Amino acid sequence: MNILIINGPNLNLLGKREPGVYGGDSLSDIQGEIVSLAKELGVDVEFYQSNHEGGIIDALHNAMDESDGVILNAGAYTHYSYAIRDAIAAIRIPVIEVHISNIHAREEFRHTSVIAPVCKGSIAGFGKNGYLLALRALAEIIEKNV
């Protein structure tokens, strides 16, 4: 089982960017925790981060042939990228949307996710643990559909 974890714009700045909102762990720290859980679950994980919409779309397209599922933190693209939404709908593998902060408790423009309707599920507000929850859920979803 291979799962791709995609992180969008500004997530490369985790640990430095608004630690009161996003926590003090770097993206590398979070990836280390994901790798540990993946080993426990018997899952292979790959990581991709881009500050560019097209890079995220290309990664989603490639996942269709290379991955069994995707965990996606699209960052701000969550709220307005219909191109990413369409890419998720096109690839036909399960995608779980993750947000470190509770997007529903923040600025109003963050309350709407245009990608949520085409994702298998959404996890928000649990900090870095959202990725771990998503990994457990996605592994179970994939296993049941094999």
Side-chain angles (χ1 to χ4, degrees):
M1 184 183 309
N2 187 35
I3 294 175
L4 176 63
I5 294 124
I6 300 174
N7 283 284
N10 300 309
L11 291 162
N12 57 304
L13 297 178
L14 287 175
K16 299 174 186 169
R17 174 186 178 218
E18 301 180 76
V21 174
Y22 299 106
D25 291 308
S26 69
L27 184 56
S28 180
D29 294 335
I30 294 169
Q31 289 173 342
E33 291 190 38
I34 293 168
V35 167
S36 293
L37 178 58
K39 285 180 184 176
E40 180 183 316
L41 297 174
V43 174
D44 292 323
V45 292
E46 294 181 40
F47 299 98
Y48 178 78
Q49 189 279 323
S50 180
N51 293 317
H52 306 282
E53 186 177 32
I56 294 168
I57 293 166
D58 288 343
L60 286 164
H61 290 178
N62 292 336
M64 183 170 52
D65 296 323
E66 299 171 3
S67 302
D68 298 301
V70 174
I71 295 169
L72 172 62
N73 184 339
Y77 289 133
T78 299
H79 314 294
Y80 67 89
S81 179
Y82 294 104
I84 290 175
R85 180 239 178 261
D86 289 348
I88 295 166
I91 64 173
R92 296 189 203 125
I93 59 174
V95 176
I96 295 182
E97 174 186 20
V98 170
H99 298 283
I100 294 169
S101 68
N102 181 352
I103 61 173
H104 304 289
R106 296 187 62 197
E107 303 93 339
E108 189 164 334
F109 76 90
R110 295 185 196 274
H111 295 183
T112 300
S113 168
V114 300
I115 67 172
V118 293
C119 289
K120 190 71 172 173
S122 299
I123 299 171
F126 293 100
K128 66 182 179 180
N129 290 322
Y131 290 96
L132 305 177
L133 292 167
L135 182 59
R136 287 182 186 281
L138 192 53
E140 187 174 319
I141 290 164
I142 294 166
E143 190 174 291
K144 286 183 178 180
N145 288 327
V146 171

